[in-house]
Amino acid sequence: MAELGQRLRRRRLELGWTQGEAAQGVCSPALLSMIEGGRAKPSAGTLRRLAERLCVPLPELVQGARPELTARVRFQLGQSYLAEGDWQSAEQWFREIEEAAVAEIGRYEWEVAQARVLALAGRFELACLLLEDLYEQASLLQNRERMYRIVWLMGELAEAARRTEVAEHQYRRAHRLFEQGLTPSVEQEVALYAALARTVRRNGREEEAHEWVQVARWRREACGSAADERVRLRDLAELALEEGRVEQAARLVEEAETEAELARRQKRRAEEHRLFAAHLLRQGDAQAALPWYEAAMQETDIADDLPWAAQLLGEMTACLQLTGSREAALALWTEWSSPIQRFFLKGHHQEHAGHPPAQ
């Protein structure tokens, strides 16, 4: 990675920054030092964050150093562009990966990425054929979790292609997997019920859509917010530790960390949906952006990130207005602004009481 490291170092020195300043918010100064010296290979995420931190376009940063990047890093870079809806850049990175290196990535992940590229490029039927083949393979292995992920993706891609009947069919397939014994997480349940409500409404069945919305809301309220659950688990862990129950405390801390990781994944999915929606909106296609904003809203836990939820609410309301759905925009604002204000006021009160605001 010598060439890439030299480019990073030159750009850092152009800015007059130390390694600590350049690494701020990206990685440790020690890791940056190893990358610059060619002794470490950065991940795709680290590469992109370094490019943003140093204010240099990623293609320019890796130009000349591309042969040094591993197949896994190239794949991850392609995936990051896919998350933003930029399938052309993603495809360019994927083309550089030789067939022999696909095993390093994993055949399943590779095929799913190819299907997403095809769908975003407007070749929806071909993408579905590829995913159906993956579904059959997962079915033979009785891997219900993978089967669920595949039909969920087909539903999302169908929504993006404005094929709401196909999307509803795929989401119902996902729901049947729950009935056949797949144990979903709460976030999976809520997201699926919301997706069914969304597609059923677009297919003209408002009463059934309302029922799915109620099921999703009941499930979320029954479990409380992910943030509340993590606080509860940590409080129990502290109590167990004070009482000398060390093993139980360790187990509770582990559960809290698992909940935190699930929340981080949910937030990443929401951000991916939002970025793709914003990309479509910039291209002037508010109608295509709308289902992606809706998907982001369903993945958002207000209590976990209030400012982000408020930003998303504003963007989606604007998107609805651009599509001419002024009544829907007003209804959304009414539904979401109240809980956002409630969490804000709760945090404001705690701050002035000498406690940190709710996160």
Side-chain angles (χ1 to χ4, degrees):
M1 304 296 287
E3 176 66 25
L4 178 61
Q6 289 170 12
R7 285 177 180 273
L8 285 168
R9 184 173 185 277
R10 281 198 299 269
R11 178 57 181 164
R12 175 174 63 78
L13 294 176
E14 284 174 7
L15 295 172
W17 286 356
T18 64
Q19 288 179 335
E21 291 171 326
Q24 187 176 356
V26 178
C27 62
S28 68
L31 177 56
L32 178 57
S33 175
M34 294 176 70
I35 293 171
E36 287 187 353
R39 301 188 302 278
K41 297 178 179 179
S43 68
T46 300
L47 257 182
R48 293 204 71 182
R49 289 193 297 273
L50 279 172
E52 291 169 3
R53 175 69 178 153
L54 298 172
C55 302
V56 57
L58 181 61
E60 181 182 325
L61 179 64
V62 300
Q63 187 178 5
R66 292 171 91 104
E68 301 177 23
L69 303 178
T70 65
R72 168 57 67 175
V73 169
R74 295 182 196 192
F75 180 71
Q76 290 172 340
L77 286 168
Q79 290 277 61
S80 65
Y81 280 109
L82 266 184
E84 297 175 4
D86 186 354
W87 66 268
Q88 293 98 333
S89 296
E91 189 176 39
Q92 186 177 356
W93 282 103
F94 292 156
R95 277 202 209 102
E96 297 181 9
I97 301 172
E98 298 178 358
E99 179 64 27
V102 171
E104 177 187 335
I105 297 164
R107 176 60 63 178
Y108 168 74
E109 287 186 72
W110 174 256
E111 297 291 352
V112 166
Q114 300 309 306
R116 292 182 68 194
V117 167
L118 287 168
L120 290 172
R123 304 171 71 184
F124 178 72
E125 285 78 9
L126 196 55
C128 282
L129 285 174
L130 183 55
L131 290 171
E132 286 290 359
D133 185 51
L134 288 176
Y135 182 88
E136 289 300 321
Q137 294 174 32
S139 179
L140 288 172
L141 296 171
Q142 296 186 336
N143 188 334
R144 285 198 176 92
E145 182 63 37
R146 181 168 290 185
M147 291 162 66
Y148 175 83
R149 290 199 300 268
I150 293 168
V151 293
W152 174 262
L153 177 59
M154 284 197 280
E156 284 190 321
L157 296 178
E159 277 196 87
R162 304 183 194 177
R163 304 192 181 196
T164 52
E165 291 185 1
V166 176
E168 181 187 339
H169 170 69
Q170 298 300 343
Y171 292 141
R172 289 191 184 280
R173 289 175 74 185
H175 190 255
R176 282 198 294 273
L177 288 170
F178 290 173
E179 295 172 340
Q180 292 167 10
L182 176 64
T183 304
S185 65
V186 174
E187 63 176 22
Q188 283 178 322
E189 276 192 272
V190 171
L192 179 59
Y193 300 149
L196 280 165
R198 198 166 58 239
T199 51
V200 164
R201 178 179 291 115
R202 286 179 182 154
N203 288 330
R205 302 196 303 284
E206 186 66 36
E207 187 174 338
E208 184 183 348
H210 180 70
E211 291 175 2
W212 284 115
V213 167
Q214 291 300 105
V215 171
R217 186 169 295 163
W218 170 81
R219 192 70 180 99
R220 183 181 287 279
E221 290 175 354
C223 296
S225 76
D228 290 341
E229 177 63 12
R230 292 197 298 277
V231 170
R232 185 185 73 83
L233 288 169
R234 290 196 175 100
D235 287 346
L236 288 174
E238 288 182 12
L239 180 62
L241 199 58
E242 288 175 3
E243 296 176 353
R245 293 178 281 119
V246 178
E247 289 186 6
Q248 185 179 3
R251 188 171 65 254
L252 288 165
V253 168
E254 187 177 347
E255 287 181 28
E257 290 175 351
T258 300
E259 289 291 331
E261 178 58 27
L262 289 173
R264 283 192 291 271
R265 290 179 188 173
Q266 184 177 357
K267 175 66 182 299
R268 282 197 296 270
R269 285 198 301 273
E271 178 63 7
E272 287 174 1
H273 293 326
R274 191 194 70 81
L275 286 170
F276 189 31
H279 169 74
L280 291 170
L281 202 58
R282 285 195 299 271
Q283 292 182 331
D285 197 345
Q287 197 66 47
L290 188 56
W292 292 97
Y293 273 126
E294 290 175 339
M297 294 289 279
Q298 295 303 332
E299 295 282 1
T300 300
D301 188 336
I302 295 174
D304 261 356
D305 195 334
L306 172 60
W308 193 87
Q311 177 190 2
L312 179 61
L313 172 63
E315 288 185 17
M316 185 171 173
T317 304
C319 183
L320 282 165
Q321 290 177 328
L322 287 171
T323 62
S325 307
R326 294 184 181 276
E327 291 184 4
L330 179 60
L332 176 72
W333 185 264
T334 303
E335 179 184 355
W336 275 67
S337 60
S338 296
I340 284 177
Q341 289 174 14
R342 185 167 66 252
F343 278 111
F344 174 76
L345 291 172
K346 176 183 175 184
H348 184 72
H349 171 74
Q350 287 181 339
E351 186 177 23
H352 285 272
H355 300 289
Q359 296 295 315

